[in-house]
Each structure stands twice: as structure tokens, then as C-alpha cells.
Amino acid sequence: MKSQNKIKALCFFDDDKGRDFEILIPVLYYAEKYLNVEVEKAFIFDIDKIRRAKPDIVILANVIGSKNHHLIAKYAYENNIKVFALISEGNFKTNGTFNYWGYNTDKVIYQEYVCHWSKRTCNFLKKELPQYTDKMVVTGATGFDRYKIYKFETKKEFLKRYNLTEYKKVIGYAGWGFGKLHNPTGLMEIKNTHKEKAEERIKWMHEQQQLIEGILRETIEKNPDILFILKRHPNEIHPHLVQRDNNEMINLADYPNVLYLRNEEDVHTLISVSDIWTAFESTTTIEAWMMKDIPTIFINPDPDFVRDNNYKGTVIVKEYNEFQKKIDEYYATGKVAEMYDEDKVKARKKIVEDVIGFADGLNHVRAGFYLKKTIERIRSDDKRKIKADLLYVARFILVKLGSLVYYKPLFLKLPKFKKTVWIFDRHKLKNIDITGRKYYSYLDDFHQKNNLPEKIKDKSFWDDLII
């Protein structure tokens, strides 16, 4: 095992905010507070950082979500560096339709553990990959812990920040993946997922996009006193593709009572300031349930399609009139009665268990348990002579040089350069430490309030926590 000196961890981020950031921060907090870990942060494009930093361990939000995630895990593994990874999209289908390898074309697990959100997915992959049974563990979804721990912006504060204080009513809408229809990478993902049924799926998605846009348009036009916040799905288009959005919301962005957002705000902020949370289909409804008592509504012109069970815990409307009735009901009574039907209440409880594992705010502690086990496997005599990869070195140099001349308006006009805009916009991870410190203060309060510094020393605590 590694000596008692600080463990050097290198944690890769694809942005200084968003889903993966939220997944990682509470785990890094646990690592630094309890596991004698010193964390250095790196941008996901800079894989050569592994060679330069020579860490004891590499930490990732996932290992299959992009080519870079996969290459980082592989490069670390091949250089005798432990890899600890979480799962960004842990609510996957267990009916055989989900590609659980993603961008890992090697079909080799390079990380020490596969940290599942739930027993449901863990049991599924144990059967699918029996050779990796010992690596399959349940930690719960660490990104959902924030709904039990953090403080969120109020509606009043948010509206003031956007100079929209004339509105008193706010409805949020989480975009679906319709944008994948309109870029080559997204289309390829649809075809790979649905195989021989891909053309039928694509046709259906086009139809649903138009219908959803129509319902949203009518609702927006007939409720001018309500601010509609329309949030683009984070994965409808890869960041290197620079083109106009094409989804169920973009043609509504110019209405005076619409705020269309891409990546400007975290979804938890938007849920916090919304009176009603809506979507075509989205796991963000679960986040809404975790945060507060809020009606969630799926707008489904065709509700009969293969999807996650989230719909069982939420209200479904098929067309504008139904949607309007639910909106009117909420603003007249303060609730949507259908949300409290016994079957929906029971469904929500079961969905939380099946999707995110646990709703106690301790998923990052569970992940910390397996991170500790990973650290204990680091040998003090592990070599840190890391073989240089010319591609990764070249990437590092090009970003350094490119930063000196980067001018976004110009790069957007140059075909070979516009695909790099996302790299130059994100690579400094400017806000990561500022936001991280704020989150750490919330985590400090939560850990003290729940006496976690003492509890983690007690074996019975872990016996109850880890399944």
C-alpha cells in the first residue's frame, strides 16, 4: 500500500459546471477531508496531464461517455495508475437495448470499480459481465446528494439576476434529445441504439418534436404572464459541433415570456425557481422530487413508447388543453391533485430506489468507501515513469499555442477551427474552484450536522450503509 504521504489524485472535468461537475465534487470533498488525498484538476482534452502530473490515481465522472473519457482511463491503466470512476448516466435500461460499453470500444474495464446508481443496474451487469462481478458495486448517484445538502437560488433572486422581475409565475421545461436528429453524431447514436428499428424511431422523433413544439407554442402564447424557462438537453449535440440548435424549443426562444438556456445555468437552479417542472421525458423530474414538493408534468402526444419508469410518478398530458388545465389548477389551488394519487406516490418512492439508489445525501460517502479501497491498492513502489503519447503531447502544445491567438468570432468562421471553440472556452476551468468552495461549505455543514466525522470511524455505520 502507498505510504501515509498525501495521495496525488488527478481529476478530469469536461467543464467547470454541469452534470459531471456535480457528480464529482462531493466525492472529491470526501477524498480530501477523510482520505489524505490532494486533488489536482485537469481538463478532459488534456490527457497528457497524466504524464506531467504523475498522479497515484485518476478520478473520472465516467469512462464511457466520450472518447476522451475512455482514452484517459486506458492511458492511466496502461501506465500502472489506478482509475476510480463514477457513472454519469446511471439510469440505464436493463432490457438489452442500452450500450453499456459506450465509447469503450476495447470492452475492457479499466477502473477498479463500476459504481452503480442502483441494485437494479448492478445486478444486470453482473449477469451480463460475470468476469467483472467483483468490480460491480452500488454507491447510489452522487450527483443527487446535492438536493439534500446544498442551498439553492430563490425565484426572486433568479428573476432579479435576469431582469425579469415582472414575472411572478415560472414554469420550467427540460429538453429531450430531439437535437440529435439534426447532427451526424446524434443520428449515428440513434441508429446504433435502435438498429433495424432506427428509421422508424427517427420518423417518430421528428413527429414528436413538431407536436411538442406546437403544444409549447400555444401554451406560451396563451399565458403571457408566465415565464417559461426552456433548457436544452446537455447531450443533444457534442460540444465540438458548432451549429444552430434544432430542437423542440429553439423556434420559441424569441417570445418575450421565454428564457431559452443552453449551458448557462445548472438544472438544480432552474428547478429551484420553477413552480412546475415539465419535460417530454427526463430524469430531471426525479431531481425535482428530491428538491421540493413540486408538480412534474410530461408532455407526451404519444405516451406509448419504450422508456424509463419515471412517467409512472408524474402527470402526463397529451395536448395543450390538458396541459392548460393542470397549469390553471396549480395556480388556483397551489397543487396538481393527480400528483398525490396513491399509485403515483408509491411509484415515485420505487423510482428513486431503482434509479438513484438512495435519497439520504450519503451517496458520495458510499463512493468514498470504494475510493478508499482503491487507494489502499496503490503500491508504494508503483513506478511513475509514464510513457509519452505523441498525440496527447501534441494536443497539450496546440492548446497552449492556440490560447495565445484564440479569438472566438474568428475561430467560428474558420471550418477547421470552429470545432475547437469548446476546448478554448472551457480548458481553463475558470469557475471550478469558486463553485467548489461554495459546495464544500455546504458539505461541511451537512457532515457536521450528521456527525459523519465520528460515524465513519464506526464499523456498524458502514455495515448499514454499504449493500
Side-chain angles (χ1 to χ4, degrees):
M1 179 184 165
K2 186 81 174 177
S3 70
Q4 290 305 306
N5 295 329
K6 285 276 187 180
I7 301 297
K8 290 179 61 178
L10 186 60
C11 183
F12 284 88
F13 292 85
D14 64 354
D15 205 348
D16 60 5
K17 60 180 178 297
R19 180 193 63 182
D20 287 359
F21 176 79
E22 302 293 345
I23 287 168
L24 287 166
I25 287 298
V27 179
L28 299 186
Y29 170 85
Y30 189 90
E32 291 184 322
K33 185 173 180 67
Y34 300 111
L35 302 181
N36 196 36
V37 173
E38 182 179 277
V39 177
E40 186 172 0
K41 301 171 183 72
F43 183 54
I44 198 160
F45 189 75
D46 184 15
I47 302 175
D48 184 60
K49 183 74 171 181
I50 294 173
R51 178 187 65 85
R52 305 194 312 275
K54 296 178 175 56
D56 299 307
I57 184 171
V58 162
I59 300 175
L60 290 162
N62 74 80
V63 291
I64 67 167
S66 74
K67 190 173 182 180
N68 286 322
H69 284 98
H70 166 59
L71 292 175
I72 290 166
K74 184 176 182 179
Y75 186 48
Y77 177 86
E78 289 176 344
N79 284 282
N80 204 29
I81 297 170
K82 298 296 183 188
V83 178
F84 183 80
L86 301 163
I87 296 180
S88 297
E89 294 280 4
N91 181 29
F92 58 82
K93 294 181 177 65
T94 55
N95 59 4
T97 61
F98 177 72
N99 177 14
Y100 47 77
W101 289 112
Y103 281 85
N104 182 353
T105 52
D106 301 338
K107 297 187 177 180
V108 175
I109 292 179
Y110 294 115
Q111 71 268 39
E112 293 299 300
Y113 294 102
V114 180
C115 296
H116 289 274
W117 287 11
S118 68
K119 288 188 287 185
R120 175 181 63 84
T121 60
C122 186
N123 291 338
F124 169 75
L125 270 196
K126 280 182 177 180
K127 292 178 181 177
E128 289 284 299
L129 303 171
Q131 71 273 33
Y132 290 120
T133 296
D134 291 344
K135 288 181 176 284
M136 303 293 170
V137 299
V138 178
T139 62
T142 61
F144 284 78
D145 283 354
R146 66 191 188 273
Y147 296 108
K148 299 296 183 183
I149 300 173
Y150 300 172
K151 298 174 184 176
F152 299 102
E153 191 169 22
T154 66
K155 185 200 297 187
K156 185 177 180 180
E157 292 167 340
F158 179 87
L159 294 174
K160 183 178 180 181
R161 185 156 57 86
Y162 276 92
N163 295 316
L164 293 167
T165 53
E166 69 269 28
Y167 293 99
K168 306 302 178 188
K169 304 173 183 177
V170 178
I171 293 178
Y173 175 87
W176 199 57
F178 291 112
K180 291 185 177 183
L181 292 167
H182 308 287
N183 68 82
T185 307
L187 267 177
M188 184 65 69
E189 290 177 7
I190 295 169
K191 289 175 180 177
N192 288 340
T193 299
H194 295 279
K195 305 292 192 258
E196 67 277 359
K197 294 183 178 180
E199 291 306 315
E200 180 183 342
R201 177 73 170 188
I202 290 168
K203 180 176 181 291
W204 177 83
M205 286 178 67
H206 275 290
E207 292 170 351
Q208 297 305 303
Q209 178 179 336
Q210 293 303 312
L211 290 169
I212 292 292
E213 181 181 319
I215 294 169
L216 288 174
R217 183 185 299 277
E218 189 168 4
T219 309
I220 289 164
E221 289 178 347
K222 292 184 177 179
N223 295 274
D225 62 326
I226 298 176
L227 176 68
F228 291 84
I229 302 177
L230 310 181
K231 174 72 165 68
R232 187 183 76 169
H233 191 284
N235 294 328
E236 76 169 36
I237 187 169
H238 285 234
H240 71 277
L241 297 175
V242 182
Q243 62 186 64
R244 181 183 184 272
D245 290 352
N246 192 338
N247 53 40
E248 73 274 37
M249 301 165 285
I250 190 61
N251 294 326
L252 311 173
D254 292 333
Y255 280 93
N257 59 327
V258 166
L259 179 61
Y260 177 70
L261 298 171
R262 295 177 175 85
N263 302 311
E264 299 89 340
E265 299 286 349
D266 294 308
V267 70
H268 58 237
T269 297
L270 305 185
I271 294 170
S272 177
V273 305
S274 294
D275 305 317
I276 302 171
W277 189 250
T278 67
F280 174 73
E281 185 196 25
S282 176
T283 55
T284 60
T285 54
I286 303 174
E287 298 179 58
W289 304 337
M290 294 277 288
M291 179 181 281
K292 60 182 181 178
D293 184 10
I294 182 175
T296 55
I297 299 175
F298 281 163
I299 306 169
N300 294 152
D302 174 14
D304 186 20
F305 61 98
V306 177
R307 54 177 168 168
D308 297 321
N309 285 331
N310 303 353
Y311 73 94
K312 293 181 179 179
T314 197
V315 174
I316 295 175
V317 297
K318 296 180 182 179
E319 42 83 30
Y320 160 73
N321 287 326
E322 290 182 44
F323 191 27
Q324 187 64 59
K325 286 179 181 177
K326 300 301 180 185
I327 293 171
D328 292 341
E329 180 187 1
Y330 176 81
Y331 287 114
T333 68
K335 65 179 184 178
V336 175
E338 190 180 340
M339 281 292 293
Y340 304 97
D341 288 353
E342 185 178 356
D343 60 333
K344 292 196 181 299
V345 173
K346 289 181 178 178
R348 288 197 290 275
K349 184 177 180 181
K350 183 68 165 60
I351 289 163
V352 167
E353 180 183 327
D354 285 348
V355 173
I356 67 170
F358 312 92
D360 54 9
L362 296 174
N363 293 327
H364 68 288
V365 179
R366 294 179 179 90
F369 176 84
Y370 292 104
L371 176 57
K372 182 174 185 289
K373 282 183 169 291
T374 301
I375 289 170
E376 289 170 348
R377 295 174 184 172
I378 298 172
R379 292 162 50 91
S380 58
D381 58 348
D382 278 348
K383 295 179 181 178
R384 288 292 174 267
K385 293 181 180 179
I386 299 170
K387 184 177 179 181
D389 185 293
L390 293 181
L391 172 62
Y392 304 154
V393 174
R395 279 185 174 192
F396 168 65
I397 294 171
L398 288 172
V399 172
K400 279 286 185 183
L401 294 175
S403 297
L404 300 176
V405 297
Y406 177 60
Y407 179 58
K408 187 172 182 177
L410 176 61
F411 273 46
L412 286 172
K413 293 178 181 178
L414 302 173
K416 290 187 177 180
F417 288 86
K418 68 180 182 180
K419 290 184 178 181
T420 67
V421 166
W422 74 279
I423 297 170
F424 293 108
D425 279 353
R426 298 183 185 184
H427 77 101
K428 292 183 180 179
L429 300 171
K430 293 179 181 178
N431 298 312
I432 208 163
D433 288 329
I434 296 170
T435 308
R437 284 193 293 271
K438 180 174 72 173
Y439 286 179
Y440 272 31
S441 69
Y442 299 152
L443 284 155
D444 273 335
D445 291 344
F446 178 80
H447 277 242
Q448 290 300 322
K449 181 180 177 181
N450 291 278
N451 197 29
L452 290 174
E454 292 302 316
K455 285 182 178 178
I456 64 170
K457 300 174 186 177
D458 187 345
K459 181 179 178 298
S460 63
F461 169 75
W462 295 108
D463 289 341
D464 292 336
L465 196 70
I466 302 300
I467 61 171

